[in-house]
Amino acid sequence: MEIRTLRYFLAVARDENMTRAAESLHVTQPTLSKAIKSLEDELGQKLFTRQSFSIKLTDEGFLLRNRAEDLVSMADKIEQEFLTLDDITGGDLYFGLAESYQISFLAREINSFKQLYPDLRYHITSGDTSQVAEKLDKGILDFVVLAEMPDINKYESLIFPKTDTWGVIMPADVPLAQKEAITVDDLVGLPLFCSGQGWKNDIPRWAKDKMEDLHLEGSFGLVYNASVFAKEHLGYLLSFDKLVDTSPESGMVFRPLTPKLETNLYLVWKKYQTFSPIAERFLKKIQQDFGQKGKEIKPGTISF
């Protein structure tokens, strides 16, 4: 199975039309059709169902698409790394990011790093822990930022300089908004929005035995989308501070949880990872700037 053939397959899956895919790939349609047929023969599965004016992925095609995207991304990353081995002014960095106001620290690091290496190119993927950690494990990403303790058996990490504070984001005109801080009893019986990761890991350690009394109305991957639902009075959003506009003009407010609930943010990379030259330089710089040495983060470690 060749990477070129997988690129052909992904183009057809994207365009759902053999002619358009051939044009985008700058190959003839017979060449493309032959490559797809050869791939199906090699795998022993039909990857597309042919219709009058389009073609659709089969279940087996969907499975291959997911795998092919990772393989092609990895091939591109390897190729780019070797092309930039002798490039002392730049290269490519690949990050997977959680949502946090502390991403500003990372942005500043990248900005100052780019002053040293003006040809630096960086690529950002957003997602929850499982999504970005999977790409890190496969070697598609160099670093990920996680809002939970990383597995110290698999990863090394740095703690970001500050912590994220949990609270409730809600319309300013609801009675609960009059409180200065929110207790777990305040939330019993209310429709709540939260990320799946936060509902599983962070909220239980705050709510303790009252967790079973809380009602998750819906989970969201993107805080902004959840805030729109909260603004329409569909529920109350449990989230970090400083991710949603809660200025007086927004009509929304943030109220911290009490007792206070905080979460550390971690920059994470694989143990024994072989970095590209630019990634290795970036790690050394951020270790120096964060005042840490990239050692394994132990449970209970306090950020400075």
Side-chain angles (χ1 to χ4, degrees):
M1 188 182 304
E2 298 181 355
I3 293 296
R4 180 185 61 181
T5 305
L6 293 179
R7 293 187 194 278
Y8 287 179
F9 164 76
L10 289 173
V12 177
R14 179 191 66 234
D15 293 329
E16 296 185 340
N17 182 283
M18 197 70 72
T19 302
R20 287 197 300 268
E23 291 174 352
S24 68
L25 293 166
H26 305 293
V27 299
T28 64
Q29 185 171 331
T31 298
L32 182 56
S33 297
K34 183 179 179 180
I36 297 300
K37 180 63 167 59
S38 177
L39 182 59
E40 289 180 324
D41 291 343
E42 181 179 355
L43 296 174
Q45 299 288 343
K46 298 294 292 183
L47 301 175
F48 296 97
T49 57
R50 276 70 176 176
Q51 301 177 1
S52 299
F53 299 102
S54 65
I55 55 178
K56 302 289 185 181
L57 286 170
T58 62
D59 290 342
E60 294 78 10
F62 277 110
L63 175 62
L64 179 61
R65 186 184 66 178
N66 294 336
R67 300 293 185 265
E69 286 173 345
D70 286 342
L71 288 170
V72 170
S73 295
M74 189 62 190
D76 289 342
K77 186 172 184 290
I78 292 171
E79 181 180 353
Q80 197 60 44
E81 285 176 349
F82 274 84
L83 287 173
T84 58
L85 281 176
D86 298 323
D87 184 357
I88 61 172
T89 64
D92 290 79
L93 289 174
Y94 297 81
F95 297 92
L97 306 183
E99 288 188 293
S100 167
Y101 83 97
Q102 292 194 80
I103 294 299
S104 62
F105 290 112
L106 179 64
R108 290 171 200 162
E109 288 293 327
I110 292 174
N111 186 30
S112 64
F113 193 63
K114 194 170 176 61
Q115 309 308 310
L116 300 173
Y117 302 97
D119 292 332
L120 170 70
R121 295 171 297 275
Y122 50 92
H123 311 268
I124 304 298
T125 297
S126 296
D128 62 23
T129 295
S130 61
Q131 292 170 333
V132 297
E134 181 182 1
K135 291 183 181 297
L136 179 66
D137 291 341
K138 291 179 178 179
I140 297 171
L141 301 176
D142 297 311
F143 304 98
V144 298
V145 175
L146 303 181
E148 66 176 61
M149 181 75 182
D151 182 349
I152 62 175
N153 295 313
K154 294 175 60 179
Y155 307 113
E156 295 187 78
S157 55
L158 296 174
I159 304 180
F160 274 64
K162 297 186 180 297
T163 58
D164 282 277
T165 300
W166 281 88
V168 180
I169 298 170
M170 55 192 149
D173 59 3
V174 300
L176 195 60
Q178 305 310 309
K179 301 198 66 172
E180 293 185 0
I182 307 300
T183 68
V184 65
D185 290 329
D186 293 327
L187 300 179
V188 172
L190 297 180
L192 303 176
F193 299 129
C194 188
S195 68
Q197 179 181 325
W199 189 259
K200 178 182 177 182
N201 299 325
D202 296 276
I203 302 305
R205 64 185 173 92
W206 173 74
K208 297 184 170 60
D209 58 352
K210 292 289 186 71
M211 188 67 193
E212 61 183 20
D213 297 327
L214 300 182
H215 169 61
L216 182 65
E217 177 76 6
S219 61
F220 286 81
L222 297 175
V223 172
Y224 175 78
N225 287 347
S227 72
V228 172
F229 278 63
K231 191 170 187 177
E232 293 299 324
H233 295 78
L234 288 169
Y236 297 77
L237 172 58
L238 291 164
S239 183
F240 294 158
D241 192 11
K242 302 177 183 177
L243 290 183
V244 174
D245 180 13
T246 54
S247 63
E249 299 78 19
S250 70
M252 303 291 284
V253 297
F254 175 89
R255 297 290 182 262
L257 300 179
T258 184
K260 193 172 186 178
L261 177 63
E262 296 181 316
T263 296
N264 284 317
L265 203 67
Y266 302 87
L267 180 72
V268 179
W269 62 97
K270 289 193 302 183
K271 275 190 173 182
Y272 317 116
Q273 181 166 336
T274 302
F275 284 113
S276 66
I278 195 68
E280 187 171 358
R281 295 182 198 124
F282 177 79
L283 178 58
K284 289 180 179 178
K285 182 179 187 305
I286 200 169
Q287 285 174 334
Q288 182 180 38
D289 292 348
F290 273 28
Q292 303 180 58
K293 297 183 179 179
K295 60 187 178 184
E296 296 176 354
I297 302 299
K298 306 297 184 184
T301 298
I302 303 299
S303 60
F304 62 93

